[in-house]
Amino acid sequence: MIKTGWLALVAAAVLGAPACAGTGQAQHPLQVIIGFADPTDGPAPATLTALKNTSGARVNFVSSISERSHAYQLLCAADDPACSKAIAALRADPSIRHLDLDQKKDLR
């Protein structure tokens, strides 16, 4: 009986975990390419912090394209699924020359 109770407790915890994980604010990822006005260390913690503070979104470094151009993933709030507020704020930043959506291309 004790083993059955333990098994039920573990099953409830495992099956309930996704529901608990979703109780925070949902985020929608969007990958962008940011072209900076000056050479910038794309993955540097200071760069990521500055992008987060400017955009209001969580920012993950993806890859470098050049010394001034880097790909990032923006994790925007559920009420901004297109990340429009974050993109507008980043585009208004004078240290950013351009911001483009990073779209996969079909090379067929």
Side-chain angles (χ1 to χ4, degrees):
M1 182 87 144
I2 293 174
K3 288 183 181 181
T4 304
W6 178 252
L7 181 59
L9 179 62
V10 170
V14 169
L15 294 174
C20 292
T23 59
Q25 187 169 1
Q27 296 182 331
H28 295 276
L30 178 71
Q31 194 158 313
V32 296
I33 297 172
I34 297 177
F36 294 91
D38 297 314
T40 302
D41 185 0
T47 302
L48 296 175
T49 299
L51 291 172
K52 178 182 178 186
N53 291 341
T54 299
S55 69
R58 201 168 99 208
V59 179
N60 295 325
F61 174 78
V62 176
S63 66
S64 290
I65 299 164
S66 72
E67 64 182 7
R68 294 178 191 233
S69 187
H70 308 281
Y72 297 94
Q73 184 181 59
L74 302 178
L75 297 170
C76 300
D79 64 349
D80 189 16
C83 296
S84 57
K85 295 173 192 170
I87 289 171
L90 290 167
R91 284 183 172 154
D93 186 320
S95 70
I96 295 175
R97 185 168 285 164
H98 66 85
L99 184 148
D100 300 307
L101 299 180
D102 188 9
Q103 300 174 344
K104 294 182 181 182
K105 297 184 181 182
D106 186 1
L107 300 175
R108 287 185 260 165

